[in-house]
Amino acid sequence: MTLNQDMILWSLLPHTHVRGRRWEIQATYPDGRREVLLSVPNYDFNWQTDYIFKQPLKLPKGTVLHSSAWYDNSSANKSNPDPKADVHWGEQTWEEMQFTAFTFTLVPQAQPATGAQQ
């Protein structure tokens, strides 16, 4: 997602189902600098949470937010209901999805001065 306006980011909530194993959310700033905003190396469906920043992040217009999730459909994943099943997108727990919730505030854009304000 590319921001078309300055934004203040308050929290992130990653969500997959029982095959989700790992998450990373990264920002690429307009100057090319990259920053990992959230890393969840041991994601657990039974312990989903909203990750709230101690200090909200100020993200400038043009920042690209990229969300990645990794899955384990093997028999080594004790949460996996059926390692032999083809897995498709779906809202049910035995299906799979990738959803990222962002809590944010848009920074008001400066309005150009009108003739009466000049």
Side-chain angles (χ1 to χ4, degrees):
M1 173 174 74
T2 302
L3 305 183
N4 63 2
Q5 190 172 335
D6 292 348
M7 173 192 287
I8 297 172
L9 188 60
W10 298 91
S11 70
L12 299 167
L13 187 147
H15 174 81
T16 57
H17 290 158
V18 295
R19 293 170 186 87
R21 290 285 125 224
R22 183 175 142 212
W23 271 87
E24 185 174 283
I25 301 169
Q26 187 178 100
T28 303
Y29 296 97
D31 64 6
R33 181 175 49 94
R34 291 185 179 180
E35 178 180 17
V36 173
L37 303 181
L38 178 66
S39 175
V40 183
N42 296 304
Y43 178 84
D44 185 337
F45 174 76
N46 296 304
W47 198 72
Q48 298 177 53
T49 188
D50 192 18
Y51 294 88
I52 302 169
F53 297 106
K54 286 182 181 180
Q55 290 292 326
L57 299 176
K58 295 178 182 175
L59 302 175
K61 177 181 178 178
T63 298
V64 176
L65 297 175
H66 185 259
S67 178
S68 299
W70 289 258
Y71 300 85
D72 180 357
N73 192 33
S74 75
S75 57
N77 178 358
K78 293 179 173 83
S79 299
N80 187 0
D82 186 357
K84 295 178 182 163
D86 289 336
V87 181
H88 301 279
W89 183 92
E91 295 181 2
Q92 302 302 315
T93 304
W94 65 84
E95 298 168 309
E96 204 44 83
M97 66 165 55
Q98 178 186 2
F99 172 77
T100 307
F102 298 89
T103 305
F104 63 92
T105 306
L106 295 176
V107 176
Q109 296 179 348
Q111 299 297 318
T114 63
Q117 294 173 328
Q118 293 178 354

